[in-house]
Structures are given as C-alpha cells and as structure tokens.
Amino acid sequence: MPRTTVDTRAEIRAAALELFSERGVDATSLREIAERIGITKAALYYHYASKDALLGDLVDPMFVELRELGDELEGRSIDAGDEAQVRAVIERFWELCLRNRAVMRVLIHNPRVVARIELAPRMLHWRERIDGVLVGSDDAADRVRAVVALGGVQDAVVVFGDADLPRIREAAVDAAVRALRM
Amino acid sequence: MPRTTVDTRAEIRAAALELFSERGVDATSLREIAERIGITKAALYYHYASKDALLGDLVDPMFVELRELGDELEGRSIDAGDEAQVRAVIERFWELCLRNRAVMRVLIHNPRVVARIELAPRMLHWRERIDGVLVGSDDAADRVRAVVALGGVQDAVVVFGDADLPRIREAAVDAAVRALRM
DNA sequence: GTCTATAAGGGGATAGAC
DNA sequence: GTCTATCCCCTTATAGAC
C-alpha cells in the first residue's frame, strides 16, 4: 500500500542518520533502516541505489554549510590577530557543529567509510579553509594550534552537545580561543 | 606445520591492531587477521575464543598505563593552579597517547564496539581521574575546558603523531595548557 | 597447534509481480 | 512505490582429523 507521507527519501535519510550516528555505519543494515520507517529493504532500494549513495546524500547538507561558512569568512578577510574576530569565527563553527552533530559523529566515527565514498578530500578542504582563516599559515606548529582548537570544539560538541547550554558553549569557545593564542 | 615464532598470540594481537586501526574493527574479519600472519581462521580461534576477547586483550596495555599514570599523579597531588605542573601532566598524556596511538585510534573510531565489550566505563573512569587532576572540579564549565584540552591533544596525536617532531609536541602541549587556563 | 569442512546466519543487491 | 523471493557472498564460530 502507498505510504501516507510525501517524502519517503527524507524519512529514509532521517532514520539512517539516527542509526548511523548511534551504532555506526557498518553496524547498521539497510533492513533496519527500512523497518524503522515501515517499508522493506527492497522498497528502500527504489529510492537509493546503494548504501553509499544514501550516506552521501545524508552528509551533504553539512558540507554545503561548511562551504557557505568558508565563502563568507574568506570574503570578510578575518584578521587572525584580532581575538574578537577569532572568537566570532569559533562561535560560528560551534553552532555549525551543534546543528550537524549527528553527521559530525558519523564522520568522526567512520573514517574508513568516509574514505570509501571520497569524502576525505572534501573534509580536508574545509578544514584547511577554516584553519587558513584562523591561523593563516601552513607552518606545522600553526596547524597544530588549529587542530587542538577545532578538534577540541568538535569533541566538546559530541560530548556535551545534547545539553545545549550557553555556559558550555562559552566555556568551549573560550578554551578554543585561548588554545589559538600564540 | 608448527610455526617458527614462539608467541602466536602476540603476533595475532599485532596484526589485529594494525588492521583494526587502519580499517576499523567491524570492517576487519578474523580471516584477514589470520591470513596476515599465515595461519587459518580456525587456528586463530584456538588462541582467542572470540573477536571481542582478542580486542579486549589488545587494548589492555593502554589501560594499564593510564591506571599507572592516574595513580602516580594522584599520589603527587598536582596543584591545578601551577602551570608548570599542569604542563608536565599534559606532556605525560601526550607521550602516553603517542605510544598507544594505534589503540587510541581504535577506541576513538569504534565507540559502539567499545560499549559492547564494556570498555566505556573504564574510559570514563580514567578520563575523570585525569580531568580531576587537571581542573579538580565537577563543574560543567571546568569539565569542558578539560575535554577541549585533552581531546585536542588526542586529535593532534592522531593527525600529526606519525611525524613525531618535538615542535609538534611542543605546539600541541602549549595549546592544551592555554586551553586549560581560566 | 594447525588444519579442512561445515553449520547457521546476515549482509548488499536484484528480478519481477502487483 | 512497494512487495515477495532469491542470489551470492562473507561473516563468526564449531567439529573433528592430524
């Protein structure tokens, strides 16, 4: 029988994201995803040609947001020495991570899958763009500062993100800003 | 035929760690591990009763090191306000992560497996011990500082650890110490 | 200790009816 | 668009010979 909702593809993505995020990509079968929204695995294949195609569609919105953020920041030409501007950038990054934390979890916890569907270059690319805005240098020591700061923010979002409290955001952004200081 | 080396269990652990770290636990089969050291999957089962038992044995040395570090630091009663002491603790943590970075990778990238074999309580426990030494508080904002600092160090080890350069270590430890400052 | 052989089950993916 | 039925492959794990 036909289903009541219009957008089955969106329902599939929502169910898949939840399961991929909770259990990991490899540990989630297409049967489980299909059953969660009340269709069969074969019906899912009508909407998505493969598991990887579904995953690719799933993570896309976050990359769109990252590209937009990169465009905007580069357009405004941030001064890496101005701490107020740096703080504003980290805050934007925190918000982006928080909004997309399920996708972030999937990407962080499934690096091999990321490599398989060729998301690694995209991840590297946005990371380099934001690093460039924040430290403006290719020097190893500078890139380490950026990794500690942004990596720390990502970790804090994954660990504390479910309680989206202003205090937590403030503490995480503060710590990242200090980590970036030379 | 009998094998030439004495410690087949150690060979199994070494091959498994390499594959688990590179490809992830779920994506690595016991057949692949066995073939890498030239035995069959059935022979591997003689040495380890299950994949989870092998994994548990594999990660154990790192937890032993973490426990020893926790014992030592608590015995010395670090002053969280003394930055030289804090720096020394972060340096010890960096060295530990570097020495065990293959195991660290496995634990970071396979959270569901970690939960399945009941490693999560152990991870939480050492994290809380080291957090306690570094910030000495249960307050959420304090714990966030510790997560950003230690999470940042872990990330930097995973990203830059293969080039074990003093400059990288120094930059990462510096950044973590700054992140911890109030 | 290591082997061959096999059990039992799940995975992704497809064919074709409706 | 969704279904049932099926294919083929790989997995973990065990039994029993050597």
Side-chain angles (χ1 to χ4, degrees), chain A residues 73-94:
Chain A
L73 295 180
E74 285 170 2
R76 285 200 285 140
S77 62
I78 306 292
D79 174 7
D82 181 340
E83 208 156 271
Q85 288 186 44
V86 169
R87 159 175 297 276
V89 172
I90 305 274
E91 270 167 7
R92 294 288 300 275
F93 184 67
W94 169 275

Side-chain angles (χ1 to χ4, degrees), chain B:
Chain B
M1 66 177 147
R3 317 193 59 250
T4 53
T5 51
V6 214
D7 200 344
T8 304
R9 280 172 67 98
E11 271 192 89
I12 291 171
R13 285 195 299 273
L17 178 55
E18 211 173 308
L19 289 167
F20 286 167
S21 166
E22 278 171 18
R23 309 184 187 178
V25 175
D26 288 347
T28 303
S29 71
L30 295 177
R31 184 185 49 75
E32 289 172 304
I33 296 166
E35 278 174 3
R36 172 161 291 214
I37 63 166
I39 62 173
T40 63
K41 189 179 40 159
L44 194 156
Y45 270 100
Y46 171 81
H47 297 281
Y48 281 105
S50 72
K51 195 179 188 177
D52 285 353
L54 165 58
L55 181 59
D57 217 22
L58 207 62
V59 302
D60 204 59
M62 194 188 75
F63 283 101
V64 171
E65 278 198 53
L66 281 164
R67 190 164 52 76
E68 286 168 358
L69 180 61
D71 288 347
E72 188 201 312
L73 296 179
E74 285 172 1
R76 285 201 284 140
S77 61
I78 306 291
D79 174 7
D82 181 341
E83 209 156 89
Q85 288 186 45
V86 168
R87 159 174 296 276
V89 172
I90 305 274
E91 270 169 6
R92 293 288 299 274
F93 184 67
W94 169 274
E95 301 290 354
L96 194 156
C97 288
L98 192 67
R99 244 190 330 272
N100 298 279
R101 70 185 180 284
V103 173
M104 271 290 178
R105 247 195 213 103
V106 172
L107 295 178
I108 289 173
H109 291 156
N110 298 273
R112 292 317 293 179
V113 177
V114 164
R116 192 179 66 223
I117 65 174
E118 266 147 28
L119 245 37
R122 292 175 80 182
M123 294 190 72
L124 216 65
H125 181 243
W126 70 255
R127 192 67 184 244
E128 277 170 3
R129 283 183 85 179
I130 299 187
D131 282 9
V133 168
L134 288 175
V135 301
S137 157
D138 270 354
D139 186 67
D142 288 330
R143 295 199 47 227
V144 170
R145 285 191 293 134
V147 164
V148 173
L150 297 184
V153 168
Q154 272 179 321
D155 282 359
V157 166
V158 169
V159 173
F160 296 104
D162 291 325
D164 176 23
L165 301 168
R167 288 189 66 224
I168 289 172
R169 188 187 75 150
E170 207 191 323
V173 173
D174 280 348
V177 169
R178 284 194 304 269
L180 276 172
R181 279 209 276 258
M182 280 216 281

